[in-house]
Amino acid sequence: NAGVTQTPKFQVLKTGQSMTLQCAQDMNHEYMSWYRQDPGMGLRLIHYSVGAGITDQGEVPNGYNVSRSTTEDFPLRLLSAAPSQTSVYFCASRRPGLEKTQYFGPGTRLLVL
Amino acid sequence: AQSVAQPEDQVNVAEGNPLTVKCTYSVSGNPYLFWYVQYPNRGLQFLLKYITGDNLVKGSYGFEAEFNKSQTSFHLKKPSALVSDSALYFCDQDSNYQLIWGAGTKLIIKP
């Protein structure tokens, strides 16, 4: 199993540009989520999904969209990038129920100029 | 509001000495508590978790944590630190998919 994969590893955007961060998992996990990591702030939940076709907002959803058309994929879209979105983005997945251990991807480092 | 506190931004320990990374939580009911480790330029890796049962939880790489309900704490411990334990450690509380993360503690193990 590849686990959770993320692409790209690093991206530079100009303010106002759009892009999609890709996330895929091959563990058949129903739950998937996107986090951003900023220095001194830990992880903050952007959006999450409890299954295909179901998404919900986390703590910091503004400026981001998600969709979940398949169990495997959970892309994160930045519609109009802003410098405040410069961060490291992590995708994670887990099984439902009491097995709450999350499996993280390697991260995408995003720089918005 | 629910919160997870990691009161130390950084912990310095000499190799071979015991280490403790602190975490306190605030939640009503029974919390699900986790520790994750992040090595440089890597994603987070699961270390251990408390769901229910024995208050002393053993995890990967020789780490353990003790759930203390009266003190609302879930401190991470290891009897003898290794230089390779140097990393960023996160405490996480999971309550009905409301995930609450601590800000992280940088652990530095000096040879």
Side-chain angles (χ1 to χ4, degrees):
Chain A
N1 287 350
V4 180
T5 58
Q6 290 182 240
T7 57
K9 290 184 179 180
F10 180 70
Q11 183 72 46
V12 180
L13 291 178
K14 294 181 180 179
T15 296
Q17 286 185 317
S18 63
M19 79 160 294
T20 299
L21 281 63
Q22 301 292 343
C23 174
Q25 52 90 12
D26 61 359
M27 296 174 283
N28 202 32
H29 287 172
E30 292 187 25
Y31 289 174
M32 296 186 73
S33 53
W34 276 103
Y35 295 91
R36 58 178 290 172
Q37 183 181 25
D38 301 293
M41 301 188 73
L43 292 170
R44 292 184 291 170
L45 183 65
I46 304 171
H47 285 284
Y48 66 97
S49 169
V50 298
I54 306 170
T55 63
D56 206 347
Q57 296 180 352
E59 180 185 357
V60 289
N62 292 340
Y64 307 94
N65 278 355
V66 292
S67 60
R68 184 94 180 271
S69 57
T70 67
T71 299
E72 294 78 20
D73 300 299
F74 191 43
L76 178 72
R77 283 184 289 277
L78 282 70
L79 301 177
S80 178
S84 61
Q85 294 178 304
T86 293
S87 187
V88 181
Y89 292 85
F90 289 101
C91 179
S93 73
R94 70 174 179 91
R95 298 184 189 90
L98 288 180
E99 179 44 62
K100 292 177 177 286
T101 303
Q102 294 196 76
Y103 297 83
F104 285 82
T108 294
R109 189 173 297 271
L110 178 66
L111 175 62
V112 182
L113 302 175
Chain B
Q2 297 179 9
S3 65
V4 171
Q6 293 182 242
E8 300 154 319
D9 291 337
Q10 182 169 311
V11 171
N12 299 300
V13 178
E15 186 177 26
N17 283 1
L19 69 87
T20 299
V21 183
K22 296 180 180 178
C23 172
T24 59
Y25 67 92
S26 66
V27 70
S28 58
N30 296 319
Y32 300 134
L33 299 165
F34 296 78
W35 276 102
Y36 288 84
V37 59
Q38 184 181 31
Y39 298 102
N41 300 313
R42 301 280 295 277
L44 279 73
Q45 297 177 31
F46 168 77
L47 270 182
L48 52 79
K49 65 183 177 185
Y50 173 82
I51 302 294
T52 186
D54 195 348
N55 289 343
L56 183 63
V57 179
K58 294 188 181 297
S60 305
Y61 312 121
F63 283 93
E64 59 186 28
E66 185 170 10
F67 172 65
N68 187 318
K69 191 170 185 177
S70 63
Q71 298 184 4
T72 63
S73 67
F74 190 56
H75 301 332
L76 181 70
K77 299 182 180 183
K78 187 172 182 179
S80 179
L82 300 173
V83 172
S84 57
D85 293 330
S86 298
L88 190 57
Y89 290 80
F90 289 96
C91 183
D92 168 40
Q93 175 186 298
D94 187 334
S95 177
N96 294 326
Y97 214 75
Q98 295 299 310
L99 299 160
I100 305 165
W101 292 84
T105 298
K106 186 175 183 179
L107 178 63
I108 297 177
I109 309 299
K110 298 183 178 180

